Amino acid sequence: MTAVGAVLRRIPRRILWPGVFGAVMLAVGGLGAGAIVRRDPLLSGTMLNAIRYGHGHDLAFMVLFAGLGLMVLSWVRLGRLVLTGEAGGRVVSVAAAAWTAPLIIAPPLYSRDVYSYLAQGAVALRGFDPYAEGASVLDLPLRGNVAGLWQDTPSPYGPLFLLLGKVTVFLTGDNVILGAIFMRLAVLTGLVLLGWAIPRLTRHLGGRNSTALWLTVANPLVVALGIGGAHNDILMVGLMVVGVVKVLDRRHLTGFAFIALATAVKATAVLVAPFLVWVWAARLSGPARHRFLTAAITAGAVFVLTFSAATVLAGVDLGWINVLRSQGPLLTWMSLPCAVAEILFYGVGQYLPGFTRLGFLSVFRAAGVVLLAGVLVRQWWLARQGGVEAVRRATIALLAATVLAPSVLPWYFTWSLALAAAFPWKNRMVAVLAGVSVWMVLVTLPDGTIVARWTYDDMNPWVWWPYFAATVLAGVWVGRALLQPAPVVAGSTQLVGGNGG
């Protein structure tokens, strides 16, 4: 603790404290403008309940956005020092921890998913099949806070995450507020794992420790959306990156066990496993086919045993695979097939007889899935030499799985970002990644609405489109500001010392 305090004291106030105050403002503003509990036992019946309605809600909305602005400002200022080599990895980690701490007890931000997590855990705990039943089988209040779209939707998550949900509901009962905090702590474990793994991953992939940590654990996309929204993607990513590090460290069995645990949280992590088989196979001796089969069979056995153990402990079956196939996709422009379909329909298709918006979406989504399958197979085959190249191809595969999927949400980009950040990047590309990260936060409204689409219900287009344009300009500003020379900071030369930069 003394070492952490020493690092905190060395971080310039203009970098550390705006982010801390911003996180506090996010938590306070979230009480009125976040993904709030519909029947809040803390605020209902008090004067503070006014911040959820009318002008009070507007004020909370402004407080939250001001807090996000302060967090982004601190992040950009820290990024300038990182790019010039004046701030090392430990400085970034400590600053990220300071910015994250106030969000642990904050209301859910930018998403209502945590309420679905609790409901799915309660469904399993109370004897129902979570892969067949949705939140509608529950009593209030656990059912009442789940978004209407997901009331009858079974869980699409793996057994390990369902087990975490069951344990959380067992400990917290029907207390949704306490349950949300417990689930956020479980997700926070993923951030801690990521902070442990990133420095080790950069040693293998050639990147800079401080830059990689700044792009991941300190990134507002991860902190505000990932931790603020208590998304299980962060837990999956943390386990996945540890698995990749273990395989690169030649601890192959442990590595594939971690990949299995990540998959037992969310299925996306399984995409990395075939690429890591090439890494292992390249280190064996003998004919190429024999090396591949040896690595694949052994890795597959470890994966199956670990995943099976998680399934047995959770008391569920493999019904989630069928649920994944039947998920009703949400529409956002972060999915390239959705973006192309909507732009072409509203630009041309709506003026042609016989064409419908749903028809355009169906065709382009199907085409996206076919294209994704081709990209995954090609990247896997190009990774057959193993080593760093296999990890690079796995990163491309994760990015392709994000942008070509029928449904994409901003926090999905943390899948590929966690690996990509550990490669060597030029400063201009780091600036692009930073700008896109902030844009993704801004197109997600505090209550979970995603504005990256052609229209949203009955919102006035004179408000809708200017806001969307403003999010793009904000992302551009972040990228440009990051590349500006950092002001001379007293004592900045001491920031790197002992920080593992």
Side-chain angles (χ1 to χ4, degrees):
M1 196 55 112
T2 304
V4 173
V7 175
L8 272 173
R9 288 190 293 271
R10 292 208 307 271
I11 300 176
R13 295 179 182 177
R14 63 187 297 277
I15 291 176
L16 178 66
W17 289 108
V20 174
F21 292 142
V24 172
M25 292 172 69
L26 279 170
V28 173
L31 291 171
I36 55 178
V37 177
R38 293 198 169 107
R39 293 175 176 82
D40 189 342
L42 295 180
L43 299 187
S44 296
T46 70
M47 292 182 61
L48 292 176
N49 200 45
I51 67 174
R52 298 187 170 182
Y53 306 99
H55 295 307
H57 176 269
D58 295 340
L59 177 61
F61 196 85
M62 289 187 287
V63 169
L64 192 150
F65 264 85
L68 178 62
L70 288 175
M71 180 178 286
V72 170
L73 180 63
S74 277
W75 185 58
V76 170
R77 286 175 173 175
L78 178 60
R80 289 174 179 171
L81 296 182
V82 166
L83 294 183
T84 59
E86 296 177 76
R90 189 175 300 173
V91 167
V92 175
S93 297
V94 171
W99 300 339
T100 304
L103 298 180
I104 294 176
I105 59 172
L109 302 171
Y110 300 104
S111 171
R112 303 190 68 83
D113 282 4
V114 69
Y115 302 128
S116 294
Y117 300 161
L118 292 172
Q120 291 157 10
V123 167
L125 183 65
R126 294 172 185 176
F128 299 100
D129 182 358
Y131 298 138
E133 305 287 352
S136 59
V137 301
L138 301 172
D139 298 324
L140 296 175
L142 287 174
R143 182 192 72 201
N145 291 290
V146 178
L149 181 63
W150 309 119
Q151 284 285 331
D152 296 307
T153 303
S155 174
Y157 304 119
L160 177 59
F161 195 70
L162 275 179
L163 178 61
L164 290 174
K166 289 173 67 175
V167 171
T168 297
V169 176
F170 175 79
L171 293 174
T172 62
D174 289 343
N175 190 321
V176 179
I177 294 175
L178 193 57
I181 293 174
F182 270 61
M183 290 304 298
R184 183 178 277 128
L185 289 173
V187 169
L188 189 63
T189 305
L191 190 64
V192 173
L193 290 173
L194 191 60
W196 176 88
I198 285 294
R200 292 159 176 81
L201 189 62
T202 56
R203 287 200 290 267
H204 287 287
L205 303 184
R208 286 184 58 192
N209 175 25
S210 54
T211 303
L213 286 169
W214 182 81
L215 281 171
T216 53
V217 299
N219 193 330
L221 177 64
V222 174
V223 175
L225 258 65
I227 301 301
H231 287 294
N232 61 5
D233 301 75
I234 306 303
L235 178 57
M236 180 207 80
V237 163
L239 291 166
M240 180 186 74
V241 176
V242 170
V244 173
V245 168
K246 293 297 183 183
V247 171
L248 292 174
D249 284 343
R250 296 179 177 271
R251 299 179 62 182
H252 306 104
L253 300 180
T254 304
F256 279 97
F258 270 97
I259 297 298
L261 291 175
T263 306
V265 172
K266 197 164 186 175
T268 312
V270 77
L271 294 176
V272 175
F275 293 88
L276 296 181
V277 169
W278 287 127
V279 176
W280 192 355
R283 294 167 172 168
L284 300 175
S285 58
R289 179 175 296 182
H290 178 268
R291 289 188 285 112
F292 173 77
L293 289 176
T294 300
I297 292 171
T298 310
V302 172
F303 186 99
V304 170
L305 287 173
T306 305
F307 193 92
S308 298
T311 301
V312 171
L313 287 173
V316 295
D317 55 27
L318 298 179
W320 65 307
I321 297 175
N322 291 326
V323 176
L324 287 174
R325 295 173 181 169
S326 61
Q327 287 290 291
L330 295 170
L331 173 60
T332 73
W333 279 1
M334 295 169 192
S335 165
L336 291 184
C338 291
V340 173
E342 279 215 317
I343 291 171
L344 287 180
F345 173 74
Y346 285 108
V348 179
Q350 64 177 334
Y351 304 109
L352 302 176
F355 288 93
T356 65
R357 175 174 171 272
L358 183 59
F360 267 67
L361 286 170
S362 298
V363 169
F364 280 94
R365 278 173 165 161
V369 171
V370 173
L371 179 58
L372 174 59
V375 170
L376 294 179
V377 171
R378 174 173 171 76
Q379 293 303 318
W380 177 75
W381 184 244
L382 292 175
R384 61 189 182 277
Q385 298 302 316
V388 172
E389 182 64 12
V391 179
R392 189 173 76 87
R393 298 291 177 180
T395 306
I396 296 172
L398 287 171
L399 180 60
T402 303
V403 299
L404 293 175
S407 179
V408 179
L409 293 168
W411 42 92
Y412 291 6
F413 286 86
T414 60
W415 306 344
S416 54
L417 179 63
L419 294 180
F423 285 93
W425 293 100
K426 294 182 178 180
N427 288 356
R428 287 190 176 277
M429 191 60 203
V430 173
V432 170
L433 292 175
V436 172
S437 295
V438 171
W439 175 77
M440 287 182 184
V441 179
L442 290 174
V443 295
T444 314
L445 297 183
D447 64 355
T449 301
I450 308 293
V451 303
R453 49 192 292 187
W454 189 274
T455 183
Y456 187 81
D457 296 338
D458 297 323
M459 183 178 284
N460 188 332
W462 290 102
V463 174
W464 185 259
W465 284 103
Y467 177 77
F468 185 79
T471 65
V472 175
L473 292 176
V476 172
W477 175 85
V478 166
R480 291 175 63 88
L482 185 64
L483 296 178
Q484 293 177 0
V488 177
V489 178
S492 63
T493 55
Q494 283 78 42
L495 290 178
V496 178
N499 293 338

